């Protein structure tokens, strides 16, 4: 019996945790309003569990965090759910304890990290097993040709498109693109060339049934994409099911413009492993296009060309002959010419290939974009052609710079730096190098092979930077770069570091890498890429080099401080703990305030050694660019982010990191002060948020009080104590002075003034005595009694409440001031003043009023009842007894569960 109660409690805790996580996620979605915010341009197809993203098909144990930890009897799985044409992930968790086999011994034991008990010496059954790593070498590279053919040939797909095409032009029949796809660390990186200048807005991956299994928004192009003319991105955490579809070549990709969409299937080609050049082939015929994969050899000069193309071929017709040429663009001189026979032609992709020895001058022409590929059908007028350009793949080559310590006299003479390079759309080698000092005067890009000449780039060194391009890059240099055999070299500074390949997307698609260095730690250096993506996720990659970085534990922190005010608090956040030398990760769930601070403050990234308890490397993140959608918010929707079921509060960060800025001054958490902006308000700092309340003036001991200029509350001019020194004839409470003989309500942050307590400063002893007010007995149930106003001390019965009475005094003046600022009507302010509640949909509600809430994704939820009581909203689900009627839609699950229990009995 105790076991069942414990299991139920665990499930309750898990349900509560999941509900809280779901509710926190829903804070980003508006409720049902006419002026609802536009959705973020990013569709999440994975599962989010806490602060982690899980790929579809993954299985894990529920980790509820402290004090519960990992619940090894709660198995969670990310399952795929279809919504219209899209496949998304959804988390499903269940208790697996009842599935445990019965041990065959009298005293079974529970091993750590297991759910089921087992006999001593036996292994317990494990319900969660990580899927084995798929062999990705055989499926590392894919290519695709995208045309309007698949759209034209599928009427069912036309009906399901996101926009209705009105003509063949809008269906993308004159749009052509070619793509390359590369697996790297379980992610699928994609790259495209198109024949259009306008940029597509979206990339979609589609299965054979026409379902969208992944959708990635393409935002504005970056510096890398502008220089290369490519479209870059990544499909992160490809699940094992989709890897299987890729291996079977059952996935297609689509590029979506506002008025066009083109598609093509992904195919594997061995030639992609050695691809050096590419071309996008276009022609006059609608619904046709192609691409060429060009590989070279510089040892014995030769070219290998593989061409894949689509054409206006209907059905399965007899084959034909195609004339393939490689020729110079200027004088039409032919490099290669060959006729290739194709046995069968279909409306899907056709592949032809040829190989031939060439001269070194022909290879140099490829690097200078002087070669054109043509493919022409002899039986018809079908023809495709395109210029040979740098290969489609979005990739760069990076290295860290570390001087050889044995050649340097002292630490201060050593140099650290970071460098990266790539091939631009003109075939030139773009390079960026940054050092931590100005000691470097000689710089070159060299190869270990003697036949490859060095590229001297010393002339471009300006202080600690070296930026430029080399337009004389030949095929030998290109071959060496792609095989990771080029290095950055400086004889005077004593370093030679090899360029290593990396795909370009997300963090590596930013303005540039950052150098992690330290003047005290010259033997270690790091490359840092960091960005905030379109899904508002902080993405980062760290590559460390130097001595003693392998198998060493590090912590990566991000911290920011305001620019304007000195002495302002520094906000510090742990991103991830990792084992060196590399880290590629992400952080989700950053709040709008955190992202806004990153965008406007000075931001540093700190590499910390927890064992030594000190910072190892550090850098300033200068070019932070947070997408506006991550913190854009409509005015007046603040309440929708603060309403929680049963007044639950989210976990607050540590109080020391939550100072408040008010009137050009910072206050610590818990502090209270008289507002410097308006002396009639008392303010306090509560978890980083400034809360101000209008001062309730103390009762004065005279018949005709008067208000002095600059004073909020009236005083007695003829009072005997007025002309005396206030410092010697007053009481001090919480940093405030009160006149002898005065009375007041105490100010208790964060709730404001306590009108149920009256404090008095004794005339003679100058001691403060506070006494709680007594409330008269109620004639109704305590649970239905409400307060007449927010500041009322005693509750009254709803029947005796005079809703027509209006408050007077300073409170009305405050309400009128708020009306001018917020644009709210006088009736709404009157409701809120009398203890009513603000609510994003249908509000405000009067004190004591009940209603069913409306949620953005579900409409009116009739099974939940909300009630306004004394300015606070409480929402509860309808309680259903065991014998409730199954006809009640709110109690169907309770009724079915009770019937199942009776059936089991």
């Amino acid at each position: 019996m105790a076991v069942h109660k414990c299991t139920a409690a665990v499930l309750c805790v898990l349900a509560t945790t999941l509900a809280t996580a779901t509710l926190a996620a829903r804070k980003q979605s508006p409720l049902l309003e006419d002026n609802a915010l536009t959705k973020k341009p990013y569709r999440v197809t994975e599962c989010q569990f806490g602060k982690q993203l899980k790929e579809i098909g993954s299985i894990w144990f529920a980790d509820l965090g402290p004090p519960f930890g990992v619940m090894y009897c709660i198995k969670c799985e990310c399952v795929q759910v279809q919504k219209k044409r899209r496949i998304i992930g959804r988390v499903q968790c269940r208790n697996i304890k009842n599935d445990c086999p019965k041990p065959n011994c009298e005293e079974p034991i529970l091993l750590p990290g297991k759910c089921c008990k087992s006999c001593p010496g036996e292994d317990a059954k494990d319900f969660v097993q990580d899927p084995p790593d798929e062999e990705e070498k055989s499926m590392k590279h894919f290519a695709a040709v995208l045309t309007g053919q698949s759209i034209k040939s599928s009427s069912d797909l036309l009906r399901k498109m996101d926009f209705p095409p009105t003509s063949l032009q809008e269906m993308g029949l004159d749009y052509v693109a070619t793509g390359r796809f590369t697996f790297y660390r379980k992610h699928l990186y994609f790259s495209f060339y198109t024949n259009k200048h306008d940029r597509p807005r979206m990339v979609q991956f589609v299965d054979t049934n026409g379902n969208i299994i992944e959708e990635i928004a393409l935002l504005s192009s970056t510096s890398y994409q502008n220089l290369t003319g490519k479209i870059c991105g990544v499909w992160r955490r490809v699940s094992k099911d989709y890897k299987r579809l890729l291996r079977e070549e059952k996935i297609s990709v689509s590029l979506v413009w506002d008025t066009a969409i083109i598609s093509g299937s992904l195919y594997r080609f061995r030639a992609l492993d050695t691809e050096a050049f590419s071309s996008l082939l276009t022609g006059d015929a609608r619904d046709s296009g192609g691409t060429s994969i060009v590989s070279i050899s510089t040892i014995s000069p030769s070219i290998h060309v593989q061409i894949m193309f689509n054409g206006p071929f209907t059905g399965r017709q007899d084959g034909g002959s195609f004339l393939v040429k490689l020729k110079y663009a200027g004088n039409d001189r032919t490099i290669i010419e060959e006729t290739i026979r194709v046995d069968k032609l279909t409306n899907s992709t056709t592949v032809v290939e040829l190989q031939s020895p060439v001269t070194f001058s022909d290879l140099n022409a490829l690097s200078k974009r002087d070669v054109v590929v043509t493919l022409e059908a002899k039986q018809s007028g079908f023809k495709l052609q395109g210029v040979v350009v740098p290969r489609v793949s979005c990739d760069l080559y990076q290295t860290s710079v570390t001087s050889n310590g044995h050649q340097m006299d002292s630490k201060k003479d050593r140099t650290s730096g970071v460098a990266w390079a790539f091939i631009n759309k003109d075939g030139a080698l773009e390079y960026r190098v940054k050092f931590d000092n100005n000691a470097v005067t000689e710089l070159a890009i060299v190869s270990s092979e003697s036949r490859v000449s060095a590229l001297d780039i010393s002339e471009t060194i300006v202080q600690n930077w070296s930026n430029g391009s080399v337009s004389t890059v030949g095929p030998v240099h290109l071959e060496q770069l792609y095989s990771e055999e080029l290095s950055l070299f400086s004889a005077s500074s004593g370093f030679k570091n090899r360029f290593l390949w990396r795909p370009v997307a997300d963090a590596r698609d930013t303005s540039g890498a950052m150098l992690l260095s330290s003047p005290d730690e010259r033997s270690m250096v790091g490359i840092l890429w960091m960005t905030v993506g379109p899904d508002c996720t902080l993405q980062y990659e760290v590559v460390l080099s130097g001595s003693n970085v392998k198998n060493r534990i590090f912590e990566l922190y991000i911290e920011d401080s305001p620019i304007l005010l000195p002495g302002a608090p520094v906000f510090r956040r742990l991103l991830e703990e990792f084992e060196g030398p590399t880290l590629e990760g992400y952080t989700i769930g950053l709040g709008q305030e955190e992202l806004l601070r990153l965008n406007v403050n000075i931001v540093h990234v700190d590499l910390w050694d927890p064992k030594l308890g000190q910072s190892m490397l550090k850098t300033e993140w200068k070019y932070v660019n947070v997408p506006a959608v991550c913190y854009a918010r409509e005015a007046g929707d603040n309440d929708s982010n603060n309403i929680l079921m049963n007044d639950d509060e989210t976990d607050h960060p540590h109080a020391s990191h939550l100072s408040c800025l008010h009137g050009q001054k910072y206050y610590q958490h818990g502090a209270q002060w008289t507002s410097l902006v308006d002396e009639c308000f008392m303010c306090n700092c509560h978890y980083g948020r400034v809360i101000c309340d209008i001062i309730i003036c103390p009762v004065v001991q005279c018949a005709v009080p008067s208000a002095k200029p600059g004073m909020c509350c009236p005083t007695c001019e003829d009072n005997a104590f007025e002309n005396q020194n206030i410092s010697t004839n007053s009481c001090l409470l919480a940093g405030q002075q009160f006149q002898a003989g005065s009375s007041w309500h105490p100010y208790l942050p964060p709730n404001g003034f306590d009108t149920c307590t009256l404090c008095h400063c004794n005339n003679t002893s100058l001691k403060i005595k506070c006494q709680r007010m007594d409330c008269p007995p109620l004639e109704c149930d305590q649970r239905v009694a409400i307060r007449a106003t927010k500041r009322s001390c005693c509750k009254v019965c709803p029947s005796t409440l005079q809703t027509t009475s209006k408050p007077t005094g300073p409170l009305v003046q405050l309400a009128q001031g708020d009306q001018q600022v917020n644009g709210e009507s006088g009736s709404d302010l009157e409701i809120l003043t009398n203890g009513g509640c603000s609510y994003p949909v249908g509000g405000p509600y009067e004190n004591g009023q009940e209603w069913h809430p409306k949620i953005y994704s579900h409409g009116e939820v009739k099974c939940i009842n909300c009630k306004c009581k004394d300015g606070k909203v409480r929402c509860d689900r309808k309680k259903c007894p065991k014998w409730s009627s199954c006809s009640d839609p709110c109690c169907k699950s309770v009724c079915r569960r009770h019937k199942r229990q009776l059936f089991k009995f």
Side-chain angles (χ1 to χ4, degrees):
M1 190 69 178
V3 173
H4 291 292
K5 287 184 179 180
C6 179
T7 303
V10 169
L11 288 176
C12 289
V13 171
L14 179 62
T16 304
T17 303
L18 293 177
T20 304
T22 304
L23 185 59
R26 286 179 182 170
K27 290 182 183 180
Q28 305 300 328
S29 301
L31 302 180
L32 283 177
E33 293 181 285
D34 294 335
N35 59 346
L37 287 173
T38 56
K39 295 182 180 179
K40 295 179 181 179
Y42 194 91
R43 299 182 183 273
V44 179
T45 56
E46 299 172 293
C47 294
Q48 180 176 342
F49 189 86
K51 299 294 184 180
Q52 296 292 323
L53 294 174
K54 304 289 186 178
E55 65 187 47
I56 293 179
S58 58
I59 303 174
W60 68 95
F61 292 120
D63 187 356
L64 304 185
F68 303 100
V70 179
M71 312 301 292
Y72 292 102
C73 287
I74 306 298
K75 184 183 76 171
C76 296
E77 184 177 3
C78 181
V79 299
Q80 59 182 14
V81 177
Q82 184 166 354
K83 288 190 175 182
K84 296 184 179 180
R85 282 189 61 213
R86 291 176 174 83
I87 301 295
I88 63 173
R90 178 173 294 174
V91 176
Q92 289 185 355
C93 297
R94 70 183 186 92
N95 190 348
I96 58 176
K97 191 171 184 63
N98 295 331
D99 298 336
C100 293
K102 187 177 181 180
N104 296 323
C105 56
E106 294 182 358
E107 297 183 357
I109 58 175
L110 182 63
L111 298 176
K114 301 293 183 180
C115 172
C116 303
K117 290 185 176 182
S118 60
C119 296
E122 297 180 359
D123 290 333
K125 182 180 179 181
D126 197 348
F127 290 95
V128 178
Q129 294 181 352
D130 294 332
D133 293 336
E134 301 288 347
E135 181 61 38
E136 296 177 357
K137 292 183 179 180
S138 61
M139 50 175 287
K140 186 174 182 179
H141 298 291
F142 295 80
V145 175
L146 289 75
T147 64
Q149 179 177 5
S150 59
I151 302 296
K152 181 179 178 182
S153 61
S154 177
S155 59
D156 180 62
L157 187 57
L158 276 175
R159 291 193 299 269
K160 297 179 179 179
M161 285 174 60
D162 292 336
F163 57 88
T166 58
S167 65
L168 294 181
Q169 171 73 18
E170 290 180 342
M171 286 165 56
L173 298 185
D174 64 337
Y175 283 61
V176 182
T178 179
R180 300 293 185 269
F181 310 85
T182 302
F183 262 103
Y184 178 72
R185 295 180 180 174
K186 298 184 179 181
H187 310 310
L188 184 65
Y189 290 82
F190 55 81
S191 318
F192 295 98
Y193 277 142
T194 70
N195 66 333
K196 299 295 181 181
H197 295 292
D198 55 329
R199 183 177 174 85
R201 63 179 177 87
M202 191 177 298
V203 175
Q204 295 176 340
F205 291 89
V206 185
D207 62 13
T208 54
N209 297 321
N211 298 316
I212 300 174
I213 57 179
E214 183 68 18
E215 191 173 67
I216 298 122
L218 298 174
L219 301 182
S220 58
S221 57
T222 61
S223 174
Y224 174 89
Q225 298 186 45
N226 286 332
L227 289 172
T228 59
K230 302 173 183 178
I231 299 169
C232 311
V234 60
W235 174 5
R236 293 202 170 273
R237 293 169 292 277
V238 182
S239 68
K240 60 179 181 179
D241 293 336
Y242 297 152
K243 288 180 182 178
R244 176 180 53 82
L245 293 179
L246 279 168
R247 281 195 300 272
E248 298 172 358
E249 298 181 342
K250 292 182 178 180
I251 287 183
S252 61
V253 64
S254 300
L255 287 178
V256 181
W257 285 263
D258 288 333
T259 56
I261 180 171
I262 56 177
S263 300
S265 298
L266 274 66
Y267 296 101
R268 284 183 290 172
F269 294 97
R270 291 188 177 275
L272 293 171
D273 293 336
T274 58
E275 183 181 23
F277 302 94
S278 309
S279 67
L280 176 63
L281 306 179
T282 60
D284 297 332
R286 289 283 185 92
D287 204 19
S288 62
T291 185
S292 63
I293 304 169
V294 181
S295 304
I296 63 172
S297 174
T298 58
I299 302 297
S300 55
S302 62
I303 295 179
H304 178 270
V305 182
Q306 196 166 28
I307 301 174
M308 52 185 298
F309 63 95
N310 295 336
F313 312 119
T314 58
R316 244 186 123 74
Q317 63 185 54
D318 292 335
S321 297
F322 292 88
L323 179 63
V324 181
K325 288 185 181 180
L326 266 72
K327 60 182 182 180
Y328 283 85
N331 52 23
D332 287 341
R333 184 169 66 87
T334 301
I335 301 174
I336 301 176
E337 180 176 349
E338 186 173 336
T339 300
I340 301 175
R341 174 72 184 177
V342 177
D343 295 333
K344 292 291 183 180
L345 293 174
T346 66
N347 55 6
S348 60
T349 302
T350 305
V351 181
V352 297
E353 62 180 310
L354 68 157
Q355 185 174 359
S356 175
V358 293
T359 64
F360 275 108
S361 60
D362 295 334
L363 294 182
N364 285 320
L366 291 173
S367 303
K368 298 177 181 179
R369 297 173 56 109
D370 289 340
V371 177
V372 176
V373 177
T374 63
L375 182 142
E376 186 175 358
K378 290 189 174 182
Q379 296 81 2
S380 63
F382 175 74
K383 182 179 180 181
L384 297 175
Q385 69 175 10
V387 179
V388 176
V389 296
R391 66 182 186 183
V392 183
S393 301
C394 294
D395 45 24
L396 57 81
Y397 296 82
Q398 68 180 28
T399 182
S400 57
V401 175
T402 51
S403 298
N404 189 339
H406 298 291
Q407 297 181 7
M408 300 294 104
D409 296 334
S410 62
K411 284 187 176 181
K412 66 179 182 178
D413 296 327
R414 299 178 188 175
T415 298
S416 300
V418 59
W420 65 99
F422 56 90
I423 303 297
N424 65 20
K425 56 187 174 183
D426 297 324
L429 177 65
E430 296 275 347
Y431 59 87
R432 308 284 186 268
V433 188
K434 182 181 180 181
F435 302 106
D436 61 350
N437 56 40
N438 302 329
V440 180
T441 57
E442 297 178 3
L443 197 62
I445 298 176
V446 300
S447 172
S448 56
E449 293 190 16
S450 57
R451 69 186 182 99
V452 183
S453 60
L455 302 174
D456 188 2
I457 57 176
S458 301
E459 294 182 355
T460 61
I461 299 176
V462 179
Q463 293 183 348
N464 60 339
W465 276 95
S466 177
N467 297 335
S469 62
V470 180
S471 58
T472 58
V473 176
V476 180
H477 289 107
L478 200 62
E479 191 177 47
Q480 293 283 297
L481 179 67
Y482 290 160
S483 59
E484 299 181 335
E485 295 179 4
L486 291 185
S487 301
L488 190 69
F489 173 72
S490 176
S492 60
S493 298
F495 63 79
K496 182 178 181 181
N497 302 97
R498 188 160 56 97
F499 285 100
L500 300 178
W501 171 85
R502 286 292 189 277
V504 175
D506 292 341
R508 287 187 294 270
D509 196 15
T510 57
S511 57
M514 290 172 278
L515 170 62
L516 281 168
S517 62
S518 172
D520 301 325
E521 183 62 49
R522 293 290 188 174
S523 62
M524 184 188 305
V525 68
I527 303 174
L528 171 68
W529 298 89
M530 183 171 284
T531 188
V532 178
D535 58 343
C536 307
T537 298
L538 180 64
Q539 300 159 349
Y540 42 85
E541 183 192 48
V542 177
V543 180
L544 303 176
S545 61
S547 60
N548 193 24
V549 296
K550 274 192 175 183
N551 304 322
R552 186 174 172 183
I553 301 300
F554 297 98
E555 292 177 345
L556 188 67
Y557 284 89
I558 186 170
E559 61 184 30
D560 69 292
S561 57
I563 299 174
L564 299 177
L565 300 178
V570 175
F571 296 88
R572 184 175 174 88
R573 181 189 181 107
L574 174 63
L575 297 182
E576 194 166 343
E577 183 181 78
F578 69 100
E579 183 177 333
T582 61
L583 166 67
E584 184 175 2
Y586 61 90
T587 300
I588 63 176
L590 292 176
Q592 292 181 347
E593 293 182 1
E594 288 182 290
L595 292 171
L596 184 58
R597 286 203 306 266
L598 291 180
N599 214 27
V600 300
N601 293 341
I602 298 176
V603 183
H604 287 90
V605 182
D606 188 7
L607 186 73
W608 185 268
D609 188 324
K611 186 176 181 180
L612 299 178
Q614 65 182 27
S615 174
M616 303 302 296
L617 305 175
K618 199 169 187 178
T619 187
E620 181 181 349
W621 184 10
K622 291 185 177 180
Y623 306 106
V624 185
N625 184 18
V626 178
V629 70
C630 296
Y631 53 79
R633 212 190 247 177
E634 289 281 347
D637 70 342
N638 295 332
D639 292 331
S640 64
N641 289 322
N642 294 328
I643 297 174
L644 300 177
M645 299 289 286
N646 299 331
D647 292 334
D648 291 336
E649 294 186 358
T650 55
D651 293 333
H652 295 294
H654 196 274
S656 62
H657 299 306
L658 290 171
S659 302
C660 298
L661 175 63
H662 183 77
Q664 299 299 310
K665 184 178 180 181
Y666 275 95
Y667 297 89
Q668 295 298 320
H669 167 72
Q672 56 177 285
W673 65 94
T674 303
S675 174
L676 300 178
V677 181
D678 190 335
E679 65 274 3
C680 289
F681 283 85
M682 281 293 296
C683 302
N684 69 87
C685 178
H686 184 65
Y687 288 108
R689 179 185 175 190
V690 177
I691 303 175
C692 294
D693 294 277
I694 191 170
I695 292 178
I696 299 179
C697 294
V699 179
V700 292
Q701 305 296 328
C702 58
V704 184
S706 61
K708 290 184 178 181
M711 298 291 292
C712 176
C713 297
T715 60
C716 296
E717 287 288 347
D718 299 332
N719 191 284
F721 296 96
E722 184 68 24
N723 297 325
Q724 300 182 18
N725 191 340
I726 189 172
S727 62
T728 59
N729 295 280
S730 62
C731 299
L732 184 65
L733 178 65
Q736 294 184 336
Q737 288 183 330
F738 298 92
Q739 284 184 317
S742 63
S743 301
W744 68 95
H745 296 297
Y747 184 66
L748 304 177
N751 298 318
F753 288 94
D754 182 8
T755 57
C756 294
T757 302
L758 190 64
C759 295
H760 180 74
C761 178
N762 189 274
N763 286 328
T764 56
S765 65
L766 298 180
K767 292 184 178 180
I768 297 175
K769 183 178 181 180
C770 296
Q771 186 175 359
R772 193 78 175 171
M773 296 176 60
D774 295 329
C775 293
L778 294 171
E779 297 180 357
C780 60
D781 193 342
Q782 176 74 17
R783 291 174 294 181
V784 299
I786 58 178
R787 303 183 190 277
T789 66
K790 284 186 178 180
R791 303 200 177 194
S792 298
C793 173
C794 299
K795 293 184 178 181
V796 296
C797 296
S799 59
T800 61
L801 182 64
Q802 299 295 328
T803 57
T804 57
S805 63
K806 296 183 179 180
T808 59
L811 194 58
V812 175
Q813 298 175 4
L814 175 63
Q816 292 173 352
D818 287 346
Q819 179 180 351
Q820 295 174 358
V821 175
N822 299 329
E824 296 180 357
S825 64
S827 58
D828 291 348
L829 286 171
E830 184 178 341
I831 292 174
L832 296 176
T833 303
N834 292 331
C837 303
S838 59
Y839 202 76
V841 183
Y845 292 95
E846 293 185 355
N847 196 1
Q849 188 174 352
E850 299 183 8
W851 69 95
H852 297 301
K854 293 181 179 180
I855 300 178
Y856 175 75
S857 57
H858 296 79
E860 187 178 34
V861 184
K862 294 185 178 180
C863 297
I864 295 178
N865 189 61
C866 294
K867 182 178 180 180
C868 173
K869 187 175 182 181
D870 302 331
K872 293 184 178 181
V873 176
R874 180 183 177 91
C875 297
D876 293 289
R877 183 173 292 277
K878 181 178 180 180
K879 295 183 180 180
C880 299
K882 290 184 178 180
W883 301 102
S884 60
S885 173
C886 289
S887 61
D888 188 344
C890 299
C891 301
K892 281 184 177 180
S893 59
V894 176
C895 178
R896 289 195 298 265
R897 184 165 60 249
H898 185 63
K899 285 185 176 180
R900 287 197 300 268
Q901 291 175 353
L902 291 176
F903 179 76
K904 290 180 180 179
F905 179 76

